[in-house]
Amino acid sequence: MLRALLVAALAAAPCRASSVHRKIYIPLNHTAPCVRLLNATHQIGCQSSLSGDTGVIHVVEKKEDLEWALAKGPHPPYMILLDGNLFSREILMQLKGSSRISGLAVAAASPAPPQGFSPGLKCPNDGFGLYSDSYGPQFAHCNGSEWNPGGSGLSYEDFPFPVFLLQDANETRLIKECFRAHNLPEAPGAAPRFPLCAMQLLAHMHAAASTVTCMRRSSLQSAFSINPEIVCDPLLDYNVWSSLQPINASGRLPPEQRLVLAATRVDSHSFFWNVAPGAEAAVGSFVSLLAAAQALQAAPGAQSLPRNVLFVFFQGESFDYIGSSRLAFDMEQEKFPLRLENIGAFLELGQVSLRNDSVLWMHTDPVSRRNESVESQVRSVLAALRDSGSLSGLSLREPGESRPLPPSALQRFLRARGDLAGVLLSDHQGAFRNRYFQSIYDTAESLGLRYPAGLSPEQRLHFVTRTAQALAQVATLVARALFSLAGGAAGAAESIQADPKTVTRLLYGFLLDSNNSWFQSLIKPDQKGILGPFPQHYVAVSSPTNTTQLLQAVLGNLTGASVNLSREQCQNPGKTPGTLPELYEYWWVQGPLDGNSTSRIPGCVRSGVRLSPALSPAFELRRWDSREFSTWTESRWKDIRARVFLVASRELELLTLALGVLVLLLHARDPKSPDPNAQIPKSQFPNPNSQSQFPFSSC
């Protein structure tokens, strides 16, 4: 009898391992991991063991469900499937302190938690802004001004187990069905019977300890190894910039020339890798500035204003001001067309999408305003904003002299040049109105972006929402204020108006689906891969990111002009007389569809849009332990994987192993075993047209 069983087991051997693998494991294809990030002093994030961590699934839908996994359950370690509404610092720190937990899968809450959720810090970018023990010490470390009071700091903790976000409701439902079918006890107080439903999460990180450690290790590998093993990479990308009047990118502005700098941030962040919708944190503000740039470019007399206007979109601001600190550094080092001294006024857009009663707040630095000259210049900027606000239907207010600047790029520029006249516009007087700052829930829904039922994607692209109308007001205000600050004639700014249709298309493209007909027409033919649903705005380590490339294309379209050049001339402007490549960039774009056909009408776009590095100066200077500049890096990894399977009891696993060893030994000792090198006569091969002669062939 045993001999027959062994023969049957051997007969099943021709089944391919991949087929067996598919029957055993159910892959989870729509997940996002928490990964490891590092700075000069420590590491944050999550990681698994080298081969992944495995545990019996336990579904937690209320706090009381945790007790089974933490204390009562007889089959640890457990892999927790946590309801998104319970994803909190309290629970995660409780799980972190238990050896009975091997990992965590989080099912995103829908709708978003009404009480808010922010895994960011209460004092974002603390220590890298303007205020310190030597400058405004009363404001240092957000003293008296917690900008993000709901911040739990979860994103800045270090977890020794993997944490994954489940992004597909169907996969979440599958896991719960597997749990109910296999892991629930048959009777109260009894242990569930094998086989049990289990999960494996693999997200092993190569870097450890700190940026200093991982960069030193990578540097040594690069110096002495032919195939170096790089374990971490700096967070980096590009800032996007353009000017109202063309600037020679390879030249330098005269020291006496002054311009107005209008800026905002592009990136966001969350607990999970590359899940950073950043609707209020970033998208609302950079969409407003894009629309303002378009409106100002189209204003009569804009090209002859006494002062130029520079538009800058900063990347990496979520990680200790990477983009703004690098641009200020490059200006100081004369690696940019203008110096810090060329900035006559600085206007920044912060979070502006959730304003209350049409009120925007004008934040300034109370310390630098003690200087009479700075105070006078700041008053001029505030007056321009107030005048423009009254024309745009907005109320502009100051939060009070006792309030410092909120986290902003302006802080980094004031740190580099203390007599700079700058204002930050925001929708909050004190703490952020954004309850989902740096979280997966900072989405279009959090901005109130809603569409009538039944609209097609193309109709939604063009439908002007209330959110778009509100942000168009902000864009109009900014464009008019910039016109005035650049020396525009009094009364001439009234005709400047941002286009709500442009704003609504930008919101749809950067929040819901970048693979839309308008964005398709703006990109180069080889950029199709950057388009897709639900764009994310994480700075990452590969550059330029999709967001940066799209921003560059959109800004070029809104502020540039179509020119009559062939494809070859457009892609090689230096060979065509009169193109002035030192002043302009040229893009050969796909263009719109040709009527109802699938072919497009391509063309050449000329604009002044350029890129500048958004890599922290700490890496330029190889000062990986810097306390002045951002030192954030991201660990490398080999594989990210999540899968569900049934696990047998330990006794059955041992029995199976013993049986396998016995089969191997008997097969090796059997004198009648066929010679593996012997040729098999063709007559012994099965006829491909007949039924298979192998048992268990259906496996």
Side-chain angles (χ1 to χ4, degrees):
M1 181 64 180
L2 178 60
R3 183 78 173 182
L5 286 173
L6 297 178
V7 170
L10 287 172
C15 294
R16 293 188 304 171
S18 60
S19 175
V20 176
H21 183 279
R22 287 195 299 270
K23 290 194 173 187
I24 294 176
Y25 297 104
I26 300 176
L28 303 175
N29 298 318
H30 301 91
T31 62
C34 161
V35 302
R36 174 168 289 168
L37 301 174
L38 310 97
N39 66 10
T41 57
H42 61 287
Q43 65 186 29
I44 63 172
C46 320
Q47 84 149 351
S48 74
S49 59
L50 184 61
S51 58
D53 291 320
T54 302
V56 174
I57 294 172
H58 183 64
V59 175
V60 176
E61 295 179 327
K62 54 185 184 297
K63 288 185 178 181
E64 292 74 19
D65 296 335
L66 282 172
E67 189 178 0
W68 178 268
L70 293 174
K72 292 183 176 180
H75 305 300
Y78 285 95
M79 191 68 69
I80 301 296
L81 173 56
L82 186 68
D83 184 275
N85 288 295
L86 297 177
F87 188 55
S88 65
R89 182 180 183 87
E90 176 191 357
I91 287 181
L92 259 72
M93 299 310 285
Q94 194 175 356
L95 298 178
K96 180 180 178 179
S98 173
S99 61
R100 292 169 56 89
I101 304 300
S102 59
L104 178 65
V106 181
S110 181
Q115 73 277 12
F117 174 75
S118 173
L121 298 172
K122 296 181 184 296
C123 187
N125 292 352
D126 185 24
F128 290 86
L130 177 61
Y131 304 109
S132 65
D133 294 338
S134 59
Y135 186 96
Q138 68 273 32
F139 304 129
H141 312 298
C142 296
N143 184 26
S145 298
E146 279 191 351
W147 300 109
N148 185 35
S152 65
L154 264 182
S155 292
Y156 296 85
E157 291 289 341
D158 184 38
F159 293 95
F161 50 72
V163 182
F164 277 54
L165 175 67
L166 301 176
Q167 298 176 292
D168 188 331
N170 290 326
E171 291 185 346
T172 302
R173 185 164 53 251
L174 180 148
I175 297 171
K176 289 183 177 180
E177 289 174 355
C178 186
F179 166 77
R180 295 186 184 107
H182 297 279
N183 294 8
L184 290 178
E186 294 181 352
R193 298 178 59 183
F194 287 96
L196 299 175
C197 190
M199 183 187 299
Q200 182 187 52
L201 300 179
L202 172 62
H204 180 69
M205 302 289 117
H206 294 175
S210 68
T211 289
V212 176
T213 301
C214 77
M215 289 299 292
R216 184 181 295 132
R217 177 180 170 188
S218 297
S219 181
L220 288 172
Q221 285 276 337
S222 299
F224 298 106
S225 175
I226 299 176
N227 298 307
E229 180 188 357
I230 308 300
V231 296
C232 68
D233 301 282
L235 295 182
L236 61 92
D237 198 14
Y238 289 94
N239 298 321
V240 181
W241 66 274
S242 179
S243 56
L244 181 62
Q245 301 160 10
I247 291 178
N248 188 338
S250 59
R252 298 289 180 270
L253 290 187
E256 68 277 3
Q257 187 172 339
R258 296 290 181 268
L259 53 70
V260 182
L261 195 153
T264 192
R265 67 190 297 174
V266 173
D267 66 301
S268 187
H269 177 41
S270 82
F271 187 87
F272 299 100
W273 182 76
N274 203 30
V275 183
E280 160 73 344
V283 177
S285 56
F286 76 66
V287 161
S288 299
L289 191 58
L290 285 169
Q294 179 194 35
L296 185 59
Q297 192 75 39
Q303 294 302 312
S304 58
L305 289 172
R307 285 185 174 184
N308 202 352
V309 178
L310 187 74
F311 297 96
V312 185
F313 298 81
F314 291 119
Q315 268 283 14
E317 294 297 278
S318 300
F319 294 94
D320 300 337
Y321 307 116
I322 292 175
S324 56
S325 63
R326 178 55 187 266
L327 186 62
F329 176 81
D330 284 347
M331 288 181 178
E332 288 179 312
Q333 301 297 315
E334 298 191 1
K335 296 180 179 180
F336 193 75
L338 60 137
R339 304 172 180 84
L340 288 169
E341 291 72 22
N342 293 122
I343 304 174
F346 192 112
L347 177 59
E348 181 175 0
L349 279 184
Q351 300 179 57
V352 294
S353 305
L354 299 176
R355 68 177 190 267
N356 186 28
D357 296 330
S358 297
V359 175
L360 285 177
W361 296 91
M362 303 181 293
H363 298 268
T364 57
D365 171 38
V367 179
S368 61
R369 290 181 66 179
R370 295 171 188 167
N371 181 293
E372 291 184 7
S373 175
V374 174
E375 171 68 12
S376 175
Q377 296 176 63
V378 169
R379 283 292 169 196
S380 298
V381 179
L382 296 175
L385 287 167
R386 282 198 182 91
D387 293 343
S388 301
S390 62
L391 297 173
S392 308
L394 295 171
S395 175
L396 279 297
R397 300 178 187 174
E398 291 186 68
E401 296 181 359
S402 61
R403 287 197 178 274
L405 266 175
S408 58
L410 178 54
Q411 287 204 26
R412 286 302 307 195
F413 275 79
L414 278 167
R415 184 166 170 163
R417 181 190 151 195
D419 63 345
L420 182 63
V423 176
L424 171 73
L425 278 181
S426 79
D427 56 20
H428 56 90
Q429 178 183 11
F432 297 158
R433 294 178 60 83
N434 183 5
R435 294 174 297 153
Y436 305 109
F437 182 69
Q438 292 187 349
S439 86
I440 61 175
Y441 304 114
D442 189 7
T443 61
E445 288 76 16
S446 70
L447 295 189
L449 195 65
R450 296 181 179 87
Y451 300 89
L455 294 186
S456 67
E458 187 68 19
Q459 289 172 324
R460 296 208 299 169
L461 172 65
H462 298 286
F463 180 82
V464 179
T465 62
R466 290 185 178 180
T467 304
Q469 291 173 337
L471 289 178
Q473 278 186 298
V474 176
T476 299
L477 158 73
V478 172
R480 291 175 177 177
L482 292 174
F483 184 85
S484 174
L485 292 169
E494 294 182 22
S495 63
I496 300 176
Q497 188 72 44
D499 185 4
K501 293 181 180 179
T502 296
V503 175
T504 207
R505 291 189 297 177
L506 290 170
L507 287 173
Y508 183 85
F510 283 109
L511 286 177
L512 297 176
D513 191 358
S514 62
N515 192 18
N516 59 71
S517 60
W518 187 42
F519 277 18
Q520 289 167 7
S521 70
L522 306 183
I523 61 172
K524 299 177 182 179
D526 60 354
Q527 289 183 308
K528 297 177 183 178
I530 68 176
L531 302 179
F534 303 109
Q536 306 301 324
H537 308 295
Y538 173 61
V539 61
V541 295
S542 57
S543 60
T545 60
N546 294 352
T547 299
T548 298
Q549 295 182 66
L550 284 174
L551 191 60
Q552 185 182 15
V554 170
L555 183 58
N557 174 267
L558 295 179
T559 61
S562 296
V563 291
N564 188 22
L565 294 177
S566 67
R567 180 169 185 166
E568 183 179 355
Q569 291 173 324
C570 190
Q571 294 176 338
N572 298 280
K575 298 179 180 180
T576 305
T579 54
L580 303 174
E582 68 277 7
L583 297 181
Y584 300 105
E585 289 281 322
Y586 291 82
W587 277 43
W588 184 259
V589 300
Q590 292 191 130
L593 291 172
D594 186 4
N596 295 323
S597 69
T598 56
S599 61
R600 294 185 174 274
I601 307 173
C604 186
V605 173
R606 183 190 72 186
S607 77
V609 180
R610 313 240 180 205
L611 302 179
S612 68
L615 170 66
S616 171
F619 299 99
E620 185 92 351
L621 302 170
R622 296 177 67 87
R623 287 167 44 190
W624 304 321
D625 60 350
S626 174
R627 298 295 193 274
E628 181 181 359
F629 299 112
S630 171
T631 56
W632 285 106
T633 54
E634 179 184 275
S635 173
R636 287 195 179 187
W637 58 82
K638 184 177 181 180
D639 194 15
I640 299 289
R641 185 173 66 239
R643 56 189 184 181
V644 176
F645 57 97
L646 294 181
V647 61
S649 67
R650 179 66 61 183
E651 293 77 9
L652 182 57
E653 288 178 342
L654 293 173
L655 177 62
T656 305
L657 175 63
L659 181 62
V661 172
L662 184 59
V663 167
L664 180 63
L665 293 174
L666 290 175
H667 183 64
R669 296 180 60 187
D670 190 346
K672 296 181 180 180
S673 297
D675 182 359
N677 297 316
Q679 292 187 351
I680 302 176
K682 291 184 179 180
S683 60
Q684 293 186 23
F685 282 103
N687 185 343
N689 297 319
S690 66
Q691 289 186 336
S692 173
Q693 300 177 22
F694 288 103
F696 304 100
S697 61
S698 61
C699 67

